Amino acid sequence: MTSFLVYFYAESPLHAGASESGDGLDLPIQREAGTGYPVIWGQSLKGALRQLARDQGLGPGHDESPQRSYLEHAFGPDLTGDGRRETDPAAGVVTVGDAQLVAMPVPTLQHTFAWATSGLALGRLARKYQRIGRAADLPSVPDEPYPGTGYATCDSWTTSGGAEHVLGPCVVPLTQPEGTDGTNPLARWASLLRGDALGAPDVNGTTGSSETPAGHAPMHFFGKKMSTDLLLLHSDVMDQVLRESTEQSVQVQLSPETKTVRHGPFTSEYLPAESLLASVVTFREERGQLDPESYKALQDIFRELLNGRVLQLGGHETTGKGLVWAHTVGGED
């Protein structure tokens, strides 16, 4: 069994729709029932990955290359029933976990925006690194700050403009955490995310444990920003940010003849651009009945398919929504 950690970084607002409306929203995003954190359920994510593989020509009906049967081995075969094309969700060697929130942008009065995270979000991310066997050099998760406060990665948040900062709907005093070794563990997390989640090089030109080549230019600016603008908030502040910092869009459907409103208005919720999520994707050997060489080739194709690529998740794709950058970490047996 081999597992990858896959980061998804939103280039445009992302709408992974929930099944029920509520709180004045006709089309809310998916959220966890226990925490209220935004999430992309594994079944939604697996369908998007399957479609990506199909779009890249890895499904049946294409040429006779070794990649031709990738779609069936990885995601299971297409079945035909009652004249309709169906998919057996239990087949295939790939298991796709939920994409859980790592950090979400929150508007600020300096630096335009910062990424808000929490002990819960980083703790979950640490568990994912443990699952892929990359937890040895992981920074510690800082203890939760005092209620109503937060931690910053660098001096610019704690010395310039006073210690209190406007973060979306909240005014939050910020300090810097101190680890047992005297360093700032949140700064180490920011450095890790810069390399692994954004594929952006540090001053030495390395990109952490990500396989993305050094000098990955599209994310260079955001990598530098992540190094300084990652904030860890107390859970009570984070909960308010998660409720009030998503984007909401009102849409109507016009009559093509009269250009008057036929249906609506509808209110849709989006996870904002620059949000960061992570999922664990596992390749199971027992389901595939593949020889070791083919099993390894399947993983290499998956890594090439995703790493450093832009894919589309969620709805409203015809209006440019749901574009995310993917980066993979791990994959060793």
Side-chain angles (χ1 to χ4, degrees), residues 7-197:
Y7 283 103
F8 299 100
Y9 183 81
E11 176 167 315
S12 61
L14 172 60
H15 177 81
S19 59
E20 297 181 357
S21 60
D23 296 330
L25 293 168
D26 300 295
L27 300 170
I29 59 175
Q30 296 170 1
R31 290 179 181 269
E32 298 171 340
T35 65
Y37 275 46
V39 66
I40 302 176
W41 300 123
Q43 59 268 34
S44 301
L45 188 55
K46 186 174 182 180
L49 297 180
R50 182 187 181 97
Q51 185 59 47
L52 175 66
R54 187 188 302 279
D55 292 343
Q56 294 298 315
L58 301 180
H62 295 276
D63 60 29
E64 297 299 325
S65 70
Q67 299 178 349
R68 189 179 68 85
S69 60
Y70 176 86
L71 197 69
E72 291 187 358
H73 285 307
F75 298 99
D78 286 345
L79 302 177
T80 302
D82 299 327
R84 299 176 57 188
R85 204 174 199 184
E86 298 177 351
T87 301
D88 178 3
V93 301
V94 172
T95 298
V96 182
D98 299 337
Q100 295 177 319
L101 186 76
V102 176
M104 194 173 87
V106 57
T108 61
L109 294 182
Q110 68 176 50
H111 303 180
T112 308
F113 77 92
W115 284 279
T117 188
S118 66
L120 174 64
L122 292 185
R124 287 173 156 182
L125 185 60
R127 291 194 309 212
K128 290 182 174 62
Y129 272 94
Q130 179 72 38
R131 290 177 60 188
I132 67 169
R134 293 289 188 91
D137 298 323
L138 213 57
S140 60
V141 177
D143 293 334
E144 188 156 78
Y146 289 114
T149 71
Y151 291 141
T153 54
C154 64
D155 293 341
S156 66
W157 288 97
T158 54
T159 58
S160 63
E164 290 189 343
H165 291 270
V166 175
L167 307 178
C170 307
V171 178
V172 183
L174 297 175
T175 59
Q176 293 189 59
E178 184 172 318
T180 55
D181 59 356
T183 63
N184 183 337
L186 185 60
R188 294 184 59 200
W189 275 106
S191 178
L192 180 82
L193 294 176
R194 184 211 67 242
D196 283 1

Side-chain angles (χ1 to χ4, degrees), residues 291-311:
D291 60 78
E293 185 176 344
S294 299
Y295 184 71
K296 180 65 167 56
L298 203 63
Q299 297 168 38
D300 291 342
I301 293 172
F302 175 81
R303 186 184 291 108
E304 183 179 351
L305 184 69
L306 280 182
N307 205 21
R309 301 289 187 89
V310 177
L311 62 152

Side-chain angles (χ1 to χ4, degrees), residues 227-247:
S227 299
T228 59
D229 294 345
L230 179 67
L231 309 176
L232 188 149
L233 306 179
H234 186 270
S235 56
D236 57 4
V237 181
M238 188 67 177
D239 289 346
Q240 187 171 358
V241 167
L242 294 177
R243 286 195 308 271
E244 301 186 24
S245 293
T246 57
E247 296 183 6

